[in-house]
Amino acid sequence: MDRFFSARVRGGAISPGLVLFGFIAGVAVQLQQSTLWPGGRYAVLGVLAATVLGLLQCFIGAKKGIVRGAGLAALVVAAAVSGFGLTGWRAGVFQSNTLNSALEGRDIDVVGRVLTMPQPAEDALRFRLRVESARIDGQPVSLPPQILLGWYAGFGVREAKDLRAESADPAEMALELQRQPQPLRAGDRWQMTVRLKAPHGNSNPHGFDYELWLWEQGIQAAGYVRAGPRDAPPVKLSSSWAHPVERARQSVREAIFQRIENRQRAGVLAALVVGDQNAIERADWDVFRATGVAHLMSISGLHITMFAWAASLLVASLWRSSVRLTPRLCLALPASGAGALGGLALAALYALFSGWGVPAQRTIWMLATVVLLRQSSRQWPWRHTWLLAMAVVVVLDPWALMQAGFWLSFVAVGVLFATDSGAEGASSQRAAGQWDSKTGWLPSFFPPWLGRPVAGLARAAREQWVVTLALAPLSLLLFNQVSLVGLLANAVAIPWVTLLVTPLAMLGVLYAPVWEGAAWAVGVLEVFLQAQARWPLASVSVAAAPIWCAVAGVMGGVLLALRLPWQWRALGLPLMLPVLLWQPVRVVPGEFELLVADIGQGNAVLVRTARHTLLYDAGPRFSRESDAGQRVLVPLLRALGERVDLLMLSHRDSDHTGGAPAVLAMQPQARLLSSIEEGHELQALRKSTRCLAGQRWEWDAVTFEVLHPGAADYEAKGKPNTLSCVLRVSNGRQTALLVGDIEAAQESRLATGSGASSLKADFLLVPHHGSKTSSSAAFLDAVQPQWALAQAGYRNRFSHPVDSVVARYQARGIRLIRSSQCGAAGWQSLQPADLSCQRQTGLRYWHHVPEVSLPGL
């Protein structure tokens, strides 16, 4: 390892490894900035650093000793500063085109061209539009170059602004039939009315960074098409082949779904041929993740590398055949070089046809770096080639350093290089007299003609084992989950998908009936993977560990995989233990803490004591394939290492129960307490106990008490909101009150009833997200909270929390926090005066910062 980090000096030249390492480190440091500096500072830094780099290269070559060591250190610093400056300058240029906040939520008449293949969803058609012009009331306005739009079908809800009211309750919102989305194709030019908002995603600990994803995609505004009966209808202005590749991809995807009746298998084929990962259904993704083969079900680096390899063999063969016609081609360029360049070019076309996604781009740049370096006749050590490929990717896409796929790809390649499974294996086998230069490794009981295939299989198996060992700790850090059946599943799935399914799927583009054979192959694989996923310990989850645990774990995995005596390899086991056994620190007995998840418009609050966990509500359902449980709560619970004892659903509304199925599936031991009716669909998943006022239990010296509803409330016929389970959590010193969607009538009963004296709380979950039907003055006077948190989506259509409610909190000196501005919020009974916001603690410069400030933070 010391050779890896040391500079090599040959003939007085400085090894490029130090420069490349320093540059990547500088980019990584810049990505930690919460806000950007003025763009000029980055430009000056970059220019100065580049100048210093050139001078140092000339200065260091002739120096020795301490002077040389200081010069090398300065070289690394200069390279780091250049990476820092270049990335910051690029970020500033991109950020200069952000959406003006004054334009959010306004009707804008835009003319633009559809950029990419539209994505059909259950309730909408989503597409990217390159804006050509934009107007409001006939006056031109400036918009970001690219916007992401949804064209929704069926019934839509008119917003509060449309009803000309300051606020509106969901029960008062009028439904109106939307114009059905018209067929859209890449290259089409449209005029339509849209409403936009800044890129804004959920912000949770260890959660998916949606705003970073949009940043990488070059999107700086998102919104929807106004298609109601009182809106100007969208008009198609022209059609062109301005984006021929995207139009071709769309045609192929449509042809796959027309040919294959089974939509699940058709979705996998569409993902493999045109890179449409959204076509794969959620149930299939769950199986792929559990078995560790999700990387195969999209246009990944493996597919592109295999395609490049096959294409290079074909091009090289054709190049050699050209000798029969004319020897000039082979004299000008050897067949091996022609094959490498031709394979690279064809792989780039394949990546382009698959959608030119970030993983595909990363693979193409890696291949291009290696191929061009070899064609230049330069023989660099593998670690320098590895760093150069990484630096090229980082130069083109600095934010790739924040993506899990980047680290999985490069760590896997680096581990294979470091273990040197090919060269070291050959030398050791030759030394043992077990290697033949023509047939490879050959046991005595095998005939000679089987030697090379068996050796190839053995090498592939060893490489898969090495990568699995080394990447398991990294996977645990990145995903908090690792598949125990992944080694076996990948051993079958990699050749099956790479050598059978993908080639058949690609051939189907030329001859459609071949897709039926590809679909059959997908079906066979699904049966195998589903059987693997049903194993009790198909995958294991661990709590999110610090970065040092992952580094130690990867080093331990590499040590186990190296060709060393077992007594040395066994030292890798203790290095892997921290990432496997890490447990987050919990509160002490007698204390409790709340984590209010950022799930948009809905409720989801995690209550934790020293040894128990309660989840109050499970967030909204977004569509048939997506809900807050699957997207937010399950990853959050996995990262925190939580075992939920009780799931309490306040009432039946979908913004409170939408994520419950995913949570219940992940937490089979969790009991269900709610006010849902006997015939509710959740009763089939987990039998629910009815919540009733007076229910009381104690966990770790913390008391939990249900204050509402009473038995009589279930007999009365009213809105589901009136049955919201109200939970009081207290340790005798501090109290939290979680109230669901109760309205003024229920608030009045609580504030004036026999238990009114125990209603006072330090923390209040704002009733009904801040609707005008709740948060009455009498109720707030009775509770007198120090903190109040409104779980409501950013620029939600109900305008929650409404202005009149906000005024009531402000008049009483209550610090009101909006989840759309705070992200996930943390509060502890041990420190009741403090409240943490994920949008502040995890802030990066690409994150959206709402203009309304947070009081008291």
Side-chain angles (χ1 to χ4, degrees):
M1 295 298 291
D2 57 338
R3 290 184 301 166
F4 177 83
F5 293 104
S6 63
R8 277 198 181 178
V9 183
R10 292 181 178 176
I14 302 302
S15 164
L18 285 175
V19 177
L20 297 172
F21 178 80
F23 180 86
I24 295 170
V27 174
V29 171
Q30 195 281 329
L31 297 182
Q32 305 306 310
Q33 286 193 290
S34 58
T35 56
L36 289 176
W37 300 339
R41 295 186 187 179
Y42 294 109
V44 171
L45 278 177
V47 171
L48 288 177
T51 304
V52 172
L53 271 175
L55 294 175
L56 286 173
Q57 286 280 11
C58 301
F59 173 78
I60 298 175
K63 302 299 179 181
K64 295 182 180 180
I66 297 177
V67 174
R68 183 177 183 82
L72 290 175
L75 189 73
V76 174
V77 172
V81 173
S82 66
F84 183 95
L86 177 61
T87 306
W89 175 77
R90 288 181 57 185
V93 171
F94 181 75
Q95 199 176 66
S96 64
N97 293 320
T98 54
L99 179 70
N100 187 336
S101 60
L103 301 179
E104 290 187 284
R106 300 189 63 182
D107 287 347
I108 307 175
D109 182 41
V110 301
V111 174
R113 195 177 297 277
V114 180
L115 270 179
T116 58
M117 177 177 65
Q119 296 288 333
E122 177 186 359
D123 59 344
L125 187 66
R126 293 181 172 86
F127 60 99
R128 297 184 193 181
L129 193 76
R130 178 169 290 281
V131 177
E132 296 178 359
S133 64
R135 293 179 176 273
I136 295 180
D137 298 329
Q139 299 299 315
V141 295
S142 178
L143 294 182
Q146 276 192 59
I147 58 177
L148 180 64
L149 295 174
W151 191 339
Y152 292 90
F155 284 92
V157 182
R158 280 184 287 159
E159 301 188 23
K161 295 177 181 178
D162 300 327
L163 295 175
R164 301 194 178 194
E166 179 194 31
S167 61
D169 185 75
E172 301 171 356
M173 303 300 281
L175 292 176
E176 58 181 22
L177 185 64
Q178 305 290 293
R179 293 187 180 91
Q180 293 298 306
Q182 300 182 36
L184 296 177
R185 303 194 78 81
D188 289 353
R189 191 164 176 266
W190 282 81
Q191 180 177 1
M192 54 184 62
T193 303
V194 302
R195 280 192 182 175
L196 301 176
K197 63 180 180 180
H200 188 97
N202 298 327
S203 179
N204 293 284
H206 315 290
F208 174 68
D209 195 338
Y210 177 67
E211 293 166 36
L212 174 61
W213 181 84
L214 289 177
W215 178 283
E216 273 204 293
Q217 301 298 316
I219 297 171
Q220 295 171 292
Y224 62 94
V225 178
R226 298 283 290 168
R230 291 177 291 182
D231 299 310
V235 178
K236 181 179 178 180
L237 301 178
S238 64
S239 181
S240 73
W241 281 83
H243 299 282
V245 175
E246 291 297 322
R247 290 179 76 94
R249 293 179 64 222
Q250 186 173 354
S251 298
V252 170
R253 183 185 64 185
E254 293 170 353
I256 291 174
F257 278 95
Q258 289 173 1
R259 186 79 191 186
I260 306 300
E261 294 182 0
N262 187 308
R263 293 191 63 82
Q264 285 183 289
R265 298 177 185 178
V268 174
L269 295 182
L272 292 174
V273 176
V274 299
D276 184 9
Q277 297 186 41
N278 293 324
I280 299 180
E281 297 192 2
R282 172 177 162 181
D284 290 331
W285 276 124
D286 292 339
V287 172
F288 298 153
R289 292 190 184 101
T291 53
V293 302
H295 64 101
L296 294 174
M297 301 306 162
S298 59
I299 307 298
S300 65
L302 176 62
H303 293 113
I304 293 174
T305 303
M306 291 297 294
F307 185 90
W309 170 75
S312 65
L313 292 180
L314 177 61
V315 172
S317 177
L318 294 175
W319 201 263
R320 291 189 189 96
S321 301
S322 68
V323 175
R324 300 173 184 175
L325 301 176
T326 174
R328 293 181 179 179
L329 291 178
C330 286
L331 290 175
L333 181 65
S336 59
L341 294 173
L344 175 63
L346 292 175
L349 291 176
Y350 176 41
L352 187 64
F353 186 76
S354 69
W356 199 240
V358 173
Q361 294 179 43
R362 185 166 57 237
T363 304
I364 291 298
W365 303 136
M366 289 171 61
L367 290 174
T369 302
V370 174
V371 168
L372 295 178
L373 190 63
R374 289 187 175 181
Q375 293 304 306
S376 67
S377 300
R378 294 180 180 273
Q379 297 297 323
W380 281 15
W382 71 262
R383 47 194 171 274
H384 294 167
T385 304
W386 181 70
L387 279 172
L388 177 61
M390 185 183 294
V392 168
V393 172
V394 170
V395 167
L396 295 168
D397 180 15
W399 302 277
L401 283 173
M402 304 297 294
Q403 302 295 341
F406 175 90
W407 294 105
L408 291 174
S409 298
F410 277 103
V411 170
V413 173
V415 166
L416 289 176
F417 273 130
T419 55
D420 198 15
S421 59
E424 291 184 18
S427 61
S428 62
Q429 287 164 338
R430 288 193 187 99
Q434 299 171 323
W435 183 268
D436 181 86
S437 60
K438 295 183 179 179
T439 60
W441 177 75
L442 183 62
S444 59
F445 53 83
F446 275 104
W449 59 270
L450 279 180
R452 192 171 297 278
V454 170
L457 289 174
R459 179 174 178 177
R462 170 172 167 74
E463 288 179 349
Q464 183 64 40
W465 169 247
V466 167
V467 170
T468 300
L469 267 180
L471 293 190
L474 187 59
S475 299
L476 288 173
L477 173 74
L478 297 172
F479 308 114
N480 311 118
Q481 184 180 26
V482 68
S483 174
L484 296 183
V485 299
L487 185 62
L488 175 60
N490 276 281
V492 174
I494 288 177
W496 190 264
V497 173
T498 306
L499 302 179
L500 181 62
V501 177
T502 302
L504 289 176
M506 296 300 295
L507 286 174
V509 177
L510 303 177
Y511 185 59
V514 179
W515 279 328
E516 296 177 2
W520 173 85
V522 170
V524 172
L525 182 64
E526 285 180 342
V527 172
F528 169 74
L529 294 177
Q530 288 168 0
Q532 297 282 302
R534 283 194 292 268
W535 289 7
L537 293 176
S539 63
V540 295
S541 301
V542 299
I547 186 66
W548 66 266
C549 291
V551 173
V554 172
M555 292 177 61
V558 172
L559 195 58
L560 284 172
L562 286 173
R563 293 179 178 273
L564 295 172
W566 274 107
Q567 59 268 30
W568 291 102
R569 297 166 74 175
L571 295 177
L573 291 175
L575 289 175
M576 298 180 71
L577 289 179
V579 74
L580 295 173
L581 303 179
W582 178 265
Q583 288 295 324
V585 178
R586 299 183 71 100
V587 295
V588 298
E591 304 293 343
F592 66 98
E593 62 181 346
L594 307 182
L595 179 58
V596 186
D598 185 8
I599 41 83
Q601 187 73 18
N603 280 160
V605 182
L606 198 64
V607 185
R608 300 188 289 183
T609 65
R611 290 182 296 272
H612 292 85
T613 301
L614 177 146
L615 179 61
Y616 183 87
D617 281 339
R621 178 182 178 183
F622 308 118
S623 67
R624 182 175 62 89
E625 292 288 314
S626 177
D627 56 65
Q630 171 248 346
R631 283 172 50 177
V632 177
L633 298 178
V634 167
L636 179 62
L637 292 171
R638 182 183 296 128
L640 296 176
E642 291 297 337
R643 185 180 183 275
V644 176
D645 298 283
L646 179 65
L647 172 60
M648 174 179 277
L649 300 177
S650 61
H651 61 295
R652 72 181 319 276
D653 283 358
S654 63
D655 58 333
H656 298 254
T657 63
V663 173
L664 291 173
M666 180 208 183
Q667 304 281 344
Q669 78 290 333
R671 295 181 293 113
L672 182 60
L673 182 66
S674 72
S675 62
I676 61 175
E677 67 276 14
E678 286 295 327
H680 196 279
E681 59 184 9
L682 286 175
Q683 296 279 9
L685 300 178
R686 193 75 45 89
K687 190 65 178 177
S688 174
T689 301
R690 177 177 285 183
C691 65
L692 285 170
Q695 290 172 333
R696 184 185 177 96
W697 66 94
E698 185 174 297
W699 287 342
D700 307 317
V702 177
T703 302
F704 294 76
E705 183 180 6
V706 178
L707 304 182
H708 180 81
D713 294 311
Y714 285 97
E715 304 301 326
K717 293 184 179 180
K719 294 190 298 184
N721 292 351
T722 64
L723 292 178
S724 292
C725 304
V726 176
L727 179 67
R728 181 179 182 270
V729 185
S730 179
N731 62 358
R733 298 180 302 279
Q734 280 77 39
T735 301
L737 196 61
L738 311 179
V739 298
D741 281 359
I742 61 172
E743 298 183 350
Q746 293 76 50
E747 292 177 350
S748 177
R749 284 173 49 189
L750 289 171
T752 59
S754 57
S757 59
S758 63
L759 206 59
K760 189 177 185 303
D762 302 274
F763 181 95
L764 171 67
L765 183 66
V766 172
H768 203 176
H769 320 289
S771 166
K772 66 178 182 180
T773 63
S774 306
S775 296
S776 59
F779 180 72
L780 296 182
D781 290 337
V783 178
Q784 301 179 30
Q786 183 177 4
W787 295 100
L789 194 141
Q791 280 190 292
Y794 176 68
R795 300 195 64 85
N796 64 88
R797 63 176 181 256
F798 311 119
S799 297
H800 291 161
V802 300
D803 292 343
S804 57
V805 168
V806 172
R808 283 201 287 271
Y809 282 92
Q810 292 176 341
R812 289 162 176 78
I814 301 170
R815 287 179 280 188
L816 177 64
I817 304 298
R818 297 170 171 85
S819 60
S820 59
Q821 297 159 8
C822 176
W827 180 86
Q828 293 188 356
S829 61
L830 194 61
Q831 298 175 307
D834 299 328
L835 185 144
S836 64
C837 285
Q838 180 64 24
R839 279 197 172 273
Q840 289 189 341
T841 58
L843 181 63
R844 298 293 182 269
Y845 58 80
W846 56 79
H847 288 152
H848 175 231
V849 180
E851 292 188 348
V852 180
S853 61
L854 298 174
L857 292 178

